[in-house]
Amino acid sequence: MRPLKGAICAVLLALAGLGAAQAQDEDPRVIAVTCDNPRAQAFSMRVAKEAAQQGQAPRILLCGDGAELALRDYEADPLQAAGADPQRMMRELMDQGATVQVCSALLPNTDYTADALVEGVGVASPEEAAALMADPDVRYFSY
């Protein structure tokens, strides 16, 4: 009887994990960061972290002045409430599976190259952004 109980528990745990993964895929959140204010940037990362902890799938889009977060040479002082600077918070989110991208206008319109970006940061295409905007299940937050 114990092997059967163990097998049933294993199947239930696998299904629970599958359900959590599906919930994350089905509940995307786009968090657009366009400002250069470290407090607003940090708050956006805290919101993304909370979204992930609630089973949502945060996608962080960095544009305009907010794209500085994606640069390897980004510097900011740690914020008291967070205990980290906004980029460190972003990197922690990436380590947990969050998608982080810069807008496609950044690299061709600045002196930066892809090598200047933090490892793992991608470039969002206009087509991808348009598809997300057309999806009624995607919610947007802007900072």
Side-chain angles (χ1 to χ4, degrees):
M1 189 66 148
R2 284 189 180 202
L4 180 60
K5 282 184 180 179
I8 291 172
C9 286
V11 169
L12 290 175
L13 286 173
L15 289 174
L18 179 62
Q22 286 175 338
Q24 205 168 27
D25 289 342
E26 294 171 4
D27 209 4
R29 300 292 183 255
V30 174
I31 298 167
V33 182
T34 60
C35 73
D36 63 353
N37 181 307
R39 290 179 305 278
Q41 292 172 342
F43 186 74
S44 69
M45 296 303 123
R46 292 288 302 266
V47 169
K49 181 179 179 179
E50 288 298 322
Q53 289 174 345
Q54 293 176 18
Q56 302 164 13
R59 296 179 59 106
I60 300 166
L61 179 61
L62 307 171
C63 292
D65 292 334
E68 293 175 5
L69 269 175
L71 301 174
R72 291 180 192 268
D73 64 359
Y74 174 87
E75 290 184 24
D77 292 328
L79 293 143
Q80 276 188 331
D85 68 67
Q87 188 184 76
R88 180 172 166 208
M89 297 168 71
M90 179 190 78
R91 288 175 185 245
E92 289 171 1
L93 283 162
M94 292 171 65
D95 289 344
Q96 296 169 8
T99 300
V100 177
Q101 297 174 308
V102 294
C103 60
S104 62
L106 175 70
L107 298 179
N109 294 293
T110 64
D111 292 333
Y112 295 113
T113 65
D115 292 336
L117 299 176
V118 168
E119 185 177 336
V121 172
V123 178
S125 71
E127 297 82 12
E128 182 180 15
L132 284 169
M133 290 176 67
D135 186 338
D137 293 327
V138 176
R139 295 196 47 204
Y140 294 87
F141 302 87
S142 182
Y143 298 90

